[in-house]
Amino acid sequence: MASLLADAAISQKIASEPWPEDVCLYQPYKLQQVLLPDNAQCLAVQCYLQMCGLPFRTVLRTNAEHMSPSGKPPFLRAGPYVISEVEPIIKFVSTKGHSLSDKLDKPQQAEMKAYLALVQGTLGNAELYISWCDPTTASEISRPRYSSPYPWPLNTVLAYRKQWDVQNQLKALGWCSKSLEEVYDEVDNCCKALSQRLGNHHYFFKQGPTELDALVFGHLYTILTTPLTDNCLADIVKEYGNLINFCRHIEKKFFEERERGPKE
């Protein structure tokens, strides 16, 4: 009971404070270091904050993963608060009074949460699998990029430890025993479900963009634009024209137009 009261008091305190002016989103360097799974998460958070219309600054750090409270990028520093990973960041933003899903009714919110779990549980795990369980991708891309900020022999030790940790995580989820073809089938089924839910609309719900749109964009756009040892993963997404159009629309509206700023 005391813990619940303390949590409620903290939430009330956070809600009463305005959005800080110096909010920073920390993530690894995109060109030299970041890998497919982390880039998808970072882009999803960027997109979500853009959709909420909240000001923030992206800060690149080679040790962003080790700076993160959970050991996973990205993480948000907002005044005295430091929050890492997509779901906790979304909850923090919602506590501050900025929510994209409060316009949905309860059945729609339940449906959105189911799709969020599908995307994270399928696309997120598939990205981890391809990055760290596929021998070719791990040796040619993941280990070299992950270890790039560190001197030898620390770089080698950290890269193999990361690979071991991810493989254990996927083993616990039942993904490590899958073949690459089975992983591609999982991705295809996920894309098919998303494509059917989206239809010919700009967003997954007619009320406007939600957390689901930000998360799906983060994953799909990253898959489409990240060089890998082959194009199989991106080719799956390209089979769904409405998902491609969805990514183009989100990129234009929440990134290109925001960067250009308002017309004078």
Side-chain angles (χ1 to χ4, degrees), residues 12-86:
Q12 186 175 9
K13 182 177 185 297
I14 294 173
S16 66
E17 299 168 345
W19 185 257
E21 296 180 358
D22 60 343
V23 173
C24 293
L25 182 68
Y26 288 81
Q27 62 184 64
Y29 280 88
K30 183 173 182 179
L31 295 179
Q32 303 94 340
Q33 182 187 10
V34 74
L35 298 177
L36 175 67
D38 291 340
N39 196 32
Q41 304 295 324
C42 293
L43 186 57
V45 172
Q46 287 182 34
C47 187
Y48 180 73
L49 295 175
Q50 296 275 41
M51 288 176 171
C52 290
L54 295 172
F56 69 97
R57 180 168 60 94
T58 301
V59 180
L60 306 179
R61 291 286 187 271
T62 56
N63 61 339
E65 176 180 318
H66 304 292
M67 293 170 63
S68 169
S70 67
K72 297 180 181 180
F75 70 92
L76 195 73
R77 182 179 61 76
Y81 306 105
V82 180
I83 314 96
S84 61
E85 300 186 61
V86 176

Side-chain angles (χ1 to χ4, degrees), residues 42 44 47 50 52 58 80-81 115 118 121 132 147 151 155 169 176 194 196 211 217 219 222 236 240:
C42 293
C47 187
Q50 296 275 41
C52 290
T58 301
Y81 306 105
Y115 276 99
L118 172 68
W132 293 107
S147 64
N155 58 351
Q169 174 187 338
C176 208
L194 292 173
Q196 291 173 349
E211 295 91 326
F217 174 77
H219 283 282
T222 300
I236 294 172
Y240 299 92

Side-chain angles (χ1 to χ4, degrees), residues 119-152:
V119 172
Q120 287 286 52
T122 303
L123 298 185
N125 286 336
E127 291 158 2
L128 286 169
Y129 179 100
I130 291 168
S131 297
W132 293 107
C133 296
D134 176 57
T136 303
T137 305
S139 63
E140 295 184 10
I141 296 177
S142 301
R143 288 199 300 267
R145 286 180 66 86
Y146 183 83
S147 64
S148 61
Y150 310 105
W152 186 88

